[in-house]
Amino acid sequence: MQLHDLKPAKGAHRRPERVGRGTGSGRGKTSGRGQKGQNARSEGFRVGFEGGQMPLAQRIPKLPGFKNPFHRNFSVVNLSKLSRFKDGTKVDPDALLEAGLVHQGMEIKILGTGGLKRKLTVEAHFFSASAREAIEKSGGSVKVLGEARKIGPRRTAAKLPKPLPVAETPRAAAPEAAAGKPERQKKGAPAPTVEEATPPDEA
């Protein structure tokens, strides 16, 4: 068998119907569109048209707000749930999953709701400020999992202290005034009076 001997399976390709080729072709005159009506016109139906009744896009309610594409879901664990572990226990994602406090494959966030009186080493992806403070206050330690969050140059510049305002230096005298040239007069302004110099007294 050669490449030019390859052919599609029987019935896989059908010849398109040639409509509008005269009455003797079988698909002439109205070309299968029938007599009059909306489907006989060239425009036909537009997308979403429902025969004149209220379309679905207008029937459904439009809720305010938007969907944040950067939203992240966490498995949240409160401090009150950590009291079930004994003192000195290393509370990592595996221990939390075994205790049924988190979901598989989700990032963990520890919140400061409730109290904690046990010394624990807690490992999670995120900690609230109150949770971190409570764990360290009870003698435990905190370890953040995952890569450190990267801060762009704009946010880095925003966190830096702003420079102090610089005192403005007095502007240099105009070159015309330095050269002794007369200042230009405004239109319509009266001409400045020039005092004549008095001659010295004769001896």
Side-chain angles (χ1 to χ4, degrees), residues 8-9 17 39 110 113 201:
E17 291 186 353
N39 282 335
I110 308 297
T113 305
D201 295 338

Side-chain angles (χ1 to χ4, degrees), residues 6-187:
L6 296 176
K7 293 181 180 180
K10 188 176 181 180
H13 287 264
R14 296 178 58 186
R15 293 179 61 187
E17 291 186 353
R18 301 174 71 245
V19 298
R21 296 301 187 272
T23 54
S25 65
R27 288 292 182 182
K29 194 174 177 274
T30 53
S31 302
R33 288 176 174 264
Q35 297 287 333
K36 301 183 181 178
Q38 190 168 13
N39 282 335
R41 317 301 179 193
S42 59
E43 290 82 4
F45 289 99
R46 61 173 172 80
V47 177
F49 183 69
E50 298 186 19
Q53 71 175 2
M54 188 63 68
L56 176 67
Q58 291 180 253
R59 292 199 303 268
I60 60 176
K62 280 76 175 175
L63 299 178
F66 72 104
K67 187 175 182 180
N68 186 3
F70 304 105
H71 177 71
R72 301 170 70 177
N73 291 322
F74 306 106
S75 276
V76 177
V77 180
N78 293 319
L79 283 180
S80 58
K81 301 291 184 181
L82 301 180
S83 299
R84 66 184 66 190
F85 298 100
K86 297 180 180 179
D87 279 335
T89 306
K90 179 182 177 182
V91 182
D92 55 2
D94 294 333
L96 293 171
L97 182 64
E98 187 178 351
L101 298 177
V102 295
H103 296 285
Q104 179 75 37
M106 292 185 67
E107 293 180 321
I108 302 169
K109 186 170 185 177
I110 308 297
L111 299 182
T113 305
L116 181 66
K117 296 182 179 180
R118 299 186 186 278
K119 183 179 179 181
L120 302 173
T121 302
V122 185
E123 297 182 2
H125 300 90
F126 298 94
F127 292 87
S128 67
S130 58
R132 182 189 293 268
E133 183 181 354
I135 294 171
E136 293 176 350
K137 188 176 180 180
S138 62
S141 60
V142 167
K143 182 180 179 182
V144 179
L145 302 176
E147 298 180 0
R149 186 178 179 185
K150 297 179 181 178
I151 301 178
R154 285 189 177 181
R155 293 192 61 189
T156 305
K159 290 188 176 183
L160 294 176
K162 295 182 179 180
L164 296 174
V166 181
E168 295 183 0
T169 56
R171 294 184 178 180
E176 294 182 356
K181 293 183 179 180
E183 296 181 357
R184 294 183 179 179
Q185 297 179 4
K186 295 182 179 179
K187 285 187 177 182

